[in-house]
Amino acid sequence: MGRLLGKYIKPDLGHVIATIVFTLIQYGIQIFALLPESKHLIDHGVADKNMDEIWKSVWVMLALTAGVGVCALLTSYFSARATAGYTRRLRNACFKKVEELTPQEFAALGESTLVTRTMADVTQMQLTVINILRMWLIVPVMIVLELIMIARLNLTIFFILFGFFAVTVFFLAYFGAASRGGFEVLQKKVDRINLLMKERITGARPIRAFRNEKLENRKTMDANEDAYDTAIEANRKINFLSPIALVTMSWVVVVIYMVGTSQIQKGLSSISELLLIFQYVTFFITSLVAVPFLVSTLPKSSVSSRRINELLDYESEVRVEWHEVEAPKERKGEVEFKDVIFGYAGAVDVIANISFKAEAGKVTAMIGSTGSGKTTILNLMQGLYQPTFGDILIDGVSIRGCRDPWLKEYFSYGTQRSMIFQDTVRNNICPDPAMQDEERIRSAMDASCFSEVLADKPEGLDYMMAQGGMNISGGQRQRLSLARVFAKDASVYVFDDTLSALDAKTERNVLKAIRTKLAGKTVLLVAQKISTVQEADHIIVMEKGRIAGQGKHEELLKTCRAYQEIYETQCYLDQEGESK
């Protein structure tokens, strides 16, 4: 926890110092000026029936109270600024780390825990920092100063108060430490709930289609009840803290009243002195009551800080030596795989002996059954995965260990799943406002046939898309996703099965646009249908992570058995459809 505080609150060190200074001034006025002034009021005003002295003390106390109020406002302002800055930097660091994760690392950690760590755990650290600035740094100082002031006035009462205080601290430390493990388990169960909720939202349609609502509700309820039981058990231990502190301090007040009364009767103490001690004791109890709350946050903060550090320090099991790679001097877009082998951590090789060249100005297509390794090859090509063996060249430059921005600029990538953001069509096609060119956007829409969708929309490019593009059909979402690919000025254009939801006519128009609008560019086209890839300049047939054959359509029909099987299956299905 100390590491996170030291690193991310450093830029707001001035606000932290200001918070501490004004808090010390505030409590210094209360302890060393305001409370002693009340004793002066009793001794020299009330006891002597001196109204001038009484009014003088009243005005002094009003001025001191105003000073306390101003310090409290400044403390709240500076602590809020420091906390907000700390939270922003910490959450940005977590988000940046998530962005840097490769798909392999992302899958290893899991989406639900990444959301919990970036949101809930960072929020817990935010509460911790505000408590540190407003209470943790001050409460110990307050307790020590109040004990010192009471010791100066009455040693007997000091030892009584200190004894009860030591007992209270012991119980606070014991129950606080006992609850830490429970909160650690609770955070993992919150991860589980987040995962179930994500599945419920993203899989709403299949759940309803298979009438699995009761099953999913039961799973969510079980996870909630499990987390509920864990939360009850963890909080049961720390819920003893406040009652213990209040009961102990209540007994302190009773004992002090008894001892104080006896001292007054024996003439060992004055009424004004005893009243001042009671005021110090009241402040002491107020400070001590905050301690259980602070102690109860320690286990939660400790767990959250550890989980955040795990994310920020995460390193994949696959060791990769990242280094700077100089961009190719001549940007053609030629991609070459040389005997590439790749396997996920703890798994057998997903692909092996992959060698091919995608030349600039040509369409290279890839076809194969689901799970044959097509998308994995595309991810390797973009540097999202690192090959276990072999090498990948972009315009003759090896990209092994490369994370430089130029590599991302090389590609315009259309994913299998159409990702539509809740924003205007303009911003969905070209997210960067500085790069938005209306002519280029409209040209991209023409190429993807999305212009037809906007034809009856009066808002045009400013038409607002719903979350996930739910206000248009699946095929229209895919057209919008394709427009995003066409709009980017890149050297290599990748279409990862992005034509699957298009009708035959639209698919032909898009393939024609790929030939004309992307002439001179390197195009990699992944598809499941022979009709999509048969006119490509070079076709790669994937089977079980290996290349089963390469060449043109006519060549593969003669030489590649895997391609023949795909062709025969799809032609048979087409003939069956025509006969019906």
Side-chain angles (χ1 to χ4, degrees), residues 19-36 67-68 71-72 75 133-135 137-139 141-143 145-146 280 283 286-287 290:
T19 300
I20 295 172
V21 168
F22 283 110
T23 304
L24 290 175
I25 293 173
Q26 173 189 341
Y27 287 107
I29 292 173
Q30 290 177 301
I31 294 174
F32 298 112
L34 191 57
L35 295 183
V68 168
C71 289
T75 298
L133 294 179
R134 293 187 179 180
M135 287 187 284
L137 295 176
I138 303 305
V139 167
V141 177
M142 286 287 297
I143 290 174
L145 290 177
E146 287 154 3
Y280 281 129
F283 264 81
T286 303
S287 302

